[in-house]
Amino acid sequence: MPKGISPKREREYTELERKFEQEGRYKGREDEVAARIVNKQRRESGETKGQREDKRAGHAPERGLPIKDYQRLTVPQIRNR
């Protein structure tokens, strides 16, 4: 698991790993499968490093604005369009 992961995700990881070992699933790969599952959950909820950087940088998702490349245009360019 990556450094700095939240305690909640760390608990989920250890619980999954322990569960897989008890059930005998994914022999020898319990830690890998548990990490993949937790990382997928982190990615879907926007907790990964790249997604945090996008939020900090002010990147907004494309919202289908009526003017193409609106976010990259200057005010005079927008007025002209």
Side-chain angles (χ1 to χ4, degrees):
M1 295 302 306
K3 291 182 180 180
I5 193 169
S6 71
K8 173 186 172 186
R9 297 297 183 196
E10 188 67 37
R11 271 192 317 275
E12 288 176 349
Y13 169 76
T14 54
E15 288 172 8
L16 282 170
E17 188 176 26
R18 192 175 309 127
K19 178 181 172 185
F20 294 153
E21 287 174 0
Q22 289 173 350
E23 294 176 356
R25 295 169 63 187
Y26 310 110
K27 293 245 186 229
R29 295 185 15 210
E30 296 91 353
D31 56 340
E32 175 191 351
V33 174
R36 286 178 185 234
I37 291 171
V38 172
N39 284 333
K40 181 180 178 183
Q41 292 171 340
R42 290 177 59 230
R43 189 173 49 252
E44 289 174 349
S45 63
E47 298 173 21
T48 59
K49 182 179 178 181
Q51 292 168 326
R52 284 193 309 260
E53 289 173 356
D54 284 349
K55 288 179 184 176
R56 244 182 281 142
H59 294 246
E62 185 61 42
R63 294 192 177 108
L65 297 173
I67 300 174
K68 184 176 172 128
D69 294 326
Y70 173 81
Q71 295 175 342
R72 292 176 180 81
L73 299 175
T74 63
V75 173
Q77 291 171 326
I78 293 170
R79 285 185 184 147
N80 288 337
R81 288 187 179 196

